Amino acid sequence: MKKFFCTLLLLPAALPALSACGSYDYSAHLSEVRSDVFTAQTEEFSLTLSCVTREYPYCSDGVAATKSALIEISLVSELPAAEYSVQLKESGVGGEMTFRGARGDYFFSAGVTQFPEERVTLLLRCDEEEREVQLRSVKGKDTLTCKQALSAAVNAERALIDRMTREGSFFGEFRVRLILRDIPYYYVGIVGEDGREHALLLDAKSGEVLARRAL
């Protein structure tokens, strides 16, 4: 589990206002939320679409800035190098993908006004060929919401949260990411004013803390 968690920490990533435990609204301090992940797998490639709400500029300073909603699409292909582009069939959002040598994938991101639910259809173009691919959400009926994951993290790290609270106000920011490694998990980062991050890996169904690490 320790080795697995270290690997997860190398990963990168529009929701209504969320409220966490108690009367204090910790969601006001969210700087990043990855609320859903959609996947498709064939013998030739794997596609992942992530629904992300993230502050801009993205900075580890303990202060959550204004956020925007975007989709991030990653393609890992077993085919020879080619030019790829993607388009969401329902909304028409799309464009050319860029190869990321460090990650070995093709990547596309764009701002959106609404996230898909349960499934999404992509038009994948490879050079002159186009195919339709349907991706399904990794979330099940028993998967916690980001609101519940945030609440679980705050409850589990109450002593840390209290140390970051002065005169009734929390001084820090949260990153809540739904991630997939065989099964879904939640990554929750608690970032202080000094930029240091306390990272948690949560069971996506129960909210149980599986691992902790200070970055």
mmCIF file of all heavy atoms in Angstrom, residues 110-134:
data_model
loop_
_atom_site.group_PDB
_atom_site.id
_atom_site.type_symbol
_atom_site.label_atom_id
_atom_site.label_comp_id
_atom_site.label_asym_id
_atom_site.label_seq_id
_atom_site.Cartn_x
_atom_site.Cartn_y
_atom_site.Cartn_z
ATOM 1 N N ALA A 110 -10.249 21.532 -22.017
ATOM 2 C CA ALA A 110 -11.061 22.661 -22.463
ATOM 3 C C ALA A 110 -12.047 23.027 -21.362
ATOM 4 O O ALA A 110 -12.492 22.176 -20.584
ATOM 5 C CB ALA A 110 -11.821 22.324 -23.745
ATOM 6 N N GLY A 111 -12.390 24.312 -21.300
ATOM 7 C CA GLY A 111 -13.394 24.772 -20.362
ATOM 8 C C GLY A 111 -14.785 24.328 -20.806
ATOM 9 O O GLY A 111 -15.069 24.230 -21.994
ATOM 10 N N VAL A 112 -15.648 24.049 -19.838
ATOM 11 C CA VAL A 112 -17.013 23.615 -20.117
ATOM 12 C C VAL A 112 -17.974 24.320 -19.170
ATOM 13 O O VAL A 112 -17.574 24.872 -18.139
ATOM 14 C CB VAL A 112 -17.180 22.081 -19.968
ATOM 15 C CG1 VAL A 112 -16.359 21.343 -21.019
ATOM 16 C CG2 VAL A 112 -16.765 21.627 -18.571
ATOM 17 N N THR A 113 -19.234 24.304 -19.533
ATOM 18 C CA THR A 113 -20.271 24.869 -18.661
ATOM 19 C C THR A 113 -21.041 23.792 -17.925
ATOM 20 O O THR A 113 -21.751 24.076 -16.957
ATOM 21 C CB THR A 113 -21.265 25.708 -19.484
ATOM 22 O OG1 THR A 113 -21.846 24.895 -20.513
ATOM 23 C CG2 THR A 113 -20.548 26.893 -20.137
ATOM 24 N N GLN A 114 -20.892 22.536 -18.372
ATOM 25 C CA GLN A 114 -21.616 21.430 -17.749
ATOM 26 C C GLN A 114 -20.815 20.144 -17.910
ATOM 27 O O GLN A 114 -20.234 19.891 -18.970
ATOM 28 C CB GLN A 114 -22.996 21.273 -18.389
ATOM 29 C CG GLN A 114 -23.878 20.225 -17.728
ATOM 30 C CD GLN A 114 -25.267 20.188 -18.354
ATOM 31 O OE1 GLN A 114 -25.603 21.003 -19.211
ATOM 32 N NE2 GLN A 114 -26.081 19.244 -17.919
ATOM 33 N N PHE A 115 -20.793 19.330 -16.844
ATOM 34 C CA PHE A 115 -20.107 18.047 -16.901
ATOM 35 C C PHE A 115 -21.067 16.942 -17.338
ATOM 36 O O PHE A 115 -22.261 16.996 -17.047
ATOM 37 C CB PHE A 115 -19.535 17.681 -15.524
ATOM 38 C CG PHE A 115 -18.364 18.514 -15.100
ATOM 39 C CD1 PHE A 115 -18.265 18.972 -13.796
ATOM 40 C CD2 PHE A 115 -17.349 18.815 -15.985
ATOM 41 C CE1 PHE A 115 -17.175 19.728 -13.392
ATOM 42 C CE2 PHE A 115 -16.249 19.570 -15.586
ATOM 43 C CZ PHE A 115 -16.167 20.020 -14.283
ATOM 44 N N PRO A 116 -20.553 15.919 -18.014
ATOM 45 C CA PRO A 116 -21.395 14.766 -18.362
ATOM 46 C C PRO A 116 -21.735 13.957 -17.115
ATOM 47 O O PRO A 116 -21.082 14.090 -16.075
ATOM 48 C CB PRO A 116 -20.515 13.969 -19.327
ATOM 49 C CG PRO A 116 -19.114 14.346 -18.954
ATOM 50 C CD PRO A 116 -19.184 15.782 -18.527
ATOM 51 N N GLU A 117 -22.729 13.106 -17.234
ATOM 52 C CA GLU A 117 -23.134 12.241 -16.144
ATOM 53 C C GLU A 117 -23.281 10.805 -16.646
ATOM 54 O O GLU A 117 -23.853 10.575 -17.707
ATOM 55 C CB GLU A 117 -24.457 12.700 -15.536
ATOM 56 C CG GLU A 117 -24.406 14.073 -14.883
ATOM 57 C CD GLU A 117 -25.735 14.462 -14.261
ATOM 58 O OE1 GLU A 117 -26.646 13.614 -14.254
ATOM 59 O OE2 GLU A 117 -25.865 15.613 -13.796
ATOM 60 N N GLU A 118 -22.732 9.875 -15.881
ATOM 61 C CA GLU A 118 -22.841 8.437 -16.107
ATOM 62 C C GLU A 118 -22.078 7.948 -17.336
ATOM 63 O O GLU A 118 -21.337 6.990 -17.272
ATOM 64 C CB GLU A 118 -24.300 7.985 -16.188
ATOM 65 C CG GLU A 118 -25.044 8.192 -14.881
ATOM 66 C CD GLU A 118 -26.443 7.632 -14.922
ATOM 67 O OE1 GLU A 118 -26.841 7.038 -15.972
ATOM 68 O OE2 GLU A 118 -27.164 7.774 -13.920
ATOM 69 N N ARG A 119 -22.268 8.582 -18.487
ATOM 70 C CA ARG A 119 -21.550 8.171 -19.687
ATOM 71 C C ARG A 119 -21.390 9.368 -20.623
ATOM 72 O O ARG A 119 -22.139 10.334 -20.543
ATOM 73 C CB ARG A 119 -22.269 7.031 -20.402
ATOM 74 C CG ARG A 119 -23.634 7.396 -20.947
ATOM 75 C CD ARG A 119 -24.352 6.175 -21.484
ATOM 76 N NE ARG A 119 -24.661 5.242 -20.425
ATOM 77 C CZ ARG A 119 -25.198 4.043 -20.626
ATOM 78 N NH1 ARG A 119 -25.423 3.629 -21.858
ATOM 79 N NH2 ARG A 119 -25.476 3.244 -19.611
ATOM 80 N N VAL A 120 -20.404 9.279 -21.498
ATOM 81 C CA VAL A 120 -20.159 10.347 -22.459
ATOM 82 C C VAL A 120 -19.625 9.719 -23.746
ATOM 83 O O VAL A 120 -18.884 8.736 -23.706
ATOM 84 C CB VAL A 120 -19.154 11.385 -21.907
ATOM 85 C CG1 VAL A 120 -17.820 10.737 -21.579
ATOM 86 C CG2 VAL A 120 -18.973 12.534 -22.876
ATOM 87 N N THR A 121 -20.031 10.267 -24.882
ATOM 88 C CA THR A 121 -19.592 9.756 -26.170
ATOM 89 C C THR A 121 -18.574 10.708 -26.785
ATOM 90 O O THR A 121 -18.828 11.905 -26.908
ATOM 91 C CB THR A 121 -20.777 9.589 -27.136
ATOM 92 O OG1 THR A 121 -21.737 8.702 -26.551
ATOM 93 C CG2 THR A 121 -20.312 9.016 -28.469
ATOM 94 N N LEU A 122 -17.410 10.153 -27.154
ATOM 95 C CA LEU A 122 -16.349 10.933 -27.782
ATOM 96 C C LEU A 122 -16.183 10.503 -29.232
ATOM 97 O O LEU A 122 -16.281 9.313 -29.563
ATOM 98 C CB LEU A 122 -15.016 10.727 -27.053
ATOM 99 C CG LEU A 122 -14.807 11.352 -25.682
ATOM 100 C CD1 LEU A 122 -13.396 11.034 -25.196
ATOM 101 C CD2 LEU A 122 -15.014 12.848 -25.724
ATOM 102 N N LEU A 123 -15.907 11.468 -30.073
ATOM 103 C CA LEU A 123 -15.478 11.195 -31.436
ATOM 104 C C LEU A 123 -13.963 11.304 -31.453
ATOM 105 O O LEU A 123 -13.410 12.380 -31.225
ATOM 106 C CB LEU A 123 -16.107 12.186 -32.410
ATOM 107 C CG LEU A 123 -17.635 12.199 -32.461
ATOM 108 C CD1 LEU A 123 -18.121 13.279 -33.420
ATOM 109 C CD2 LEU A 123 -18.179 10.841 -32.860
ATOM 110 N N LEU A 124 -13.283 10.196 -31.682
ATOM 111 C CA LEU A 124 -11.826 10.145 -31.686
ATOM 112 C C LEU A 124 -11.346 10.079 -33.133
ATOM 113 O O LEU A 124 -11.709 9.172 -33.879
ATOM 114 C CB LEU A 124 -11.332 8.927 -30.904
ATOM 115 C CG LEU A 124 -9.819 8.659 -30.935
ATOM 116 C CD1 LEU A 124 -9.054 9.793 -30.262
ATOM 117 C CD2 LEU A 124 -9.513 7.323 -30.262
ATOM 118 N N ARG A 125 -10.528 11.030 -33.515
ATOM 119 C CA ARG A 125 -9.974 11.065 -34.869
ATOM 120 C C ARG A 125 -8.484 10.748 -34.808
ATOM 121 O O ARG A 125 -7.746 11.357 -34.035
ATOM 122 C CB ARG A 125 -10.193 12.429 -35.507
ATOM 123 C CG ARG A 125 -11.654 12.793 -35.688
ATOM 124 C CD ARG A 125 -11.814 14.132 -36.407
ATOM 125 N NE ARG A 125 -13.220 14.501 -36.568
ATOM 126 C CZ ARG A 125 -13.904 15.207 -35.674
ATOM 127 N NH1 ARG A 125 -13.297 15.628 -34.577
ATOM 128 N NH2 ARG A 125 -15.168 15.505 -35.884
ATOM 129 N N CYS A 126 -8.067 9.812 -35.626
ATOM 130 C CA CYS A 126 -6.662 9.434 -35.761
ATOM 131 C C CYS A 126 -6.282 9.627 -37.214
ATOM 132 O O CYS A 126 -6.722 8.855 -38.083
ATOM 133 C CB CYS A 126 -6.450 7.989 -35.331
ATOM 134 S SG CYS A 126 -4.778 7.377 -35.596
ATOM 135 N N ASP A 127 -5.496 10.676 -37.499
ATOM 136 C CA ASP A 127 -5.206 11.065 -38.875
ATOM 137 C C ASP A 127 -6.529 11.279 -39.607
ATOM 138 O O ASP A 127 -7.301 12.141 -39.253
ATOM 139 C CB ASP A 127 -4.306 10.030 -39.549
ATOM 140 C CG ASP A 127 -2.908 10.019 -38.920
ATOM 141 O OD1 ASP A 127 -2.479 11.074 -38.417
ATOM 142 O OD2 ASP A 127 -2.271 8.963 -38.926
ATOM 143 N N GLU A 128 -6.843 10.460 -40.609
ATOM 144 C CA GLU A 128 -8.080 10.650 -41.374
ATOM 145 C C GLU A 128 -9.215 9.738 -40.907
ATOM 146 O O GLU A 128 -10.329 9.812 -41.419
ATOM 147 C CB GLU A 128 -7.808 10.390 -42.868
ATOM 148 C CG GLU A 128 -6.769 11.314 -43.475
ATOM 149 C CD GLU A 128 -7.169 12.774 -43.349
ATOM 150 O OE1 GLU A 128 -8.360 13.083 -43.546
ATOM 151 O OE2 GLU A 128 -6.284 13.611 -43.051
ATOM 152 N N GLU A 129 -8.943 8.882 -39.945
ATOM 153 C CA GLU A 129 -9.953 7.924 -39.472
ATOM 154 C C GLU A 129 -10.680 8.475 -38.250
ATOM 155 O O GLU A 129 -10.070 9.087 -37.363
ATOM 156 C CB GLU A 129 -9.288 6.588 -39.129
ATOM 157 C CG GLU A 129 -10.271 5.529 -38.641
ATOM 158 C CD GLU A 129 -9.575 4.257 -38.219
ATOM 159 O OE1 GLU A 129 -8.340 4.166 -38.408
ATOM 160 O OE2 GLU A 129 -10.252 3.360 -37.690
ATOM 161 N N GLU A 130 -11.984 8.245 -38.168
ATOM 162 C CA GLU A 130 -12.776 8.683 -37.026
ATOM 163 C C GLU A 130 -13.588 7.516 -36.473
ATOM 164 O O GLU A 130 -14.131 6.718 -37.241
ATOM 165 C CB GLU A 130 -13.723 9.820 -37.419
ATOM 166 C CG GLU A 130 -14.594 10.315 -36.262
ATOM 167 C CD GLU A 130 -15.498 11.472 -36.669
ATOM 168 O OE1 GLU A 130 -14.988 12.600 -36.801
ATOM 169 O OE2 GLU A 130 -16.705 11.225 -36.880
ATOM 170 N N ARG A 131 -13.628 7.424 -35.165
ATOM 171 C CA ARG A 131 -14.456 6.407 -34.544
ATOM 172 C C ARG A 131 -15.183 7.002 -33.340
ATOM 173 O O ARG A 131 -14.740 7.980 -32.751
ATOM 174 C CB ARG A 131 -13.623 5.197 -34.121
ATOM 175 C CG ARG A 131 -12.625 5.471 -33.004
ATOM 176 C CD ARG A 131 -11.868 4.198 -32.625
ATOM 177 N NE ARG A 131 -10.937 3.814 -33.660
ATOM 178 C CZ ARG A 131 -10.229 2.682 -33.627
ATOM 179 N NH1 ARG A 131 -10.379 1.833 -32.629
ATOM 180 N NH2 ARG A 131 -9.364 2.400 -34.582
ATOM 181 N N GLU A 132 -16.288 6.385 -32.990
ATOM 182 C CA GLU A 132 -17.101 6.830 -31.864
ATOM 183 C C GLU A 132 -16.815 5.929 -30.675
ATOM 184 O O GLU A 132 -16.862 4.707 -30.792
ATOM 185 C CB GLU A 132 -18.577 6.774 -32.246
ATOM 186 C CG GLU A 132 -19.517 7.376 -31.232
ATOM 187 C CD GLU A 132 -20.949 7.450 -31.760
ATOM 188 O OE1 GLU A 132 -21.201 8.220 -32.716
ATOM 189 O OE2 GLU A 132 -21.809 6.724 -31.226
ATOM 190 N N VAL A 133 -16.508 6.545 -29.536
ATOM 191 C CA VAL A 133 -16.153 5.788 -28.339
ATOM 192 C C VAL A 133 -17.036 6.246 -27.181
ATOM 193 O O VAL A 133 -17.168 7.453 -26.935
ATOM 194 C CB VAL A 133 -14.672 5.997 -27.958
ATOM 195 C CG1 VAL A 133 -14.308 5.116 -26.772
ATOM 196 C CG2 VAL A 133 -13.761 5.721 -29.145
ATOM 197 N N GLN A 134 -17.616 5.300 -26.477
ATOM 198 C CA GLN A 134 -18.433 5.627 -25.319
ATOM 199 C C GLN A 134 -17.655 5.335 -24.029
ATOM 200 O O GLN A 134 -17.152 4.224 -23.829
ATOM 201 C CB GLN A 134 -19.745 4.843 -25.314
ATOM 202 C CG GLN A 134 -20.701 5.302 -24.218
ATOM 203 C CD GLN A 134 -22.088 4.699 -24.362
ATOM 204 O OE1 GLN A 134 -22.386 3.687 -23.731
ATOM 205 N NE2 GLN A 134 -22.930 5.327 -25.165
#
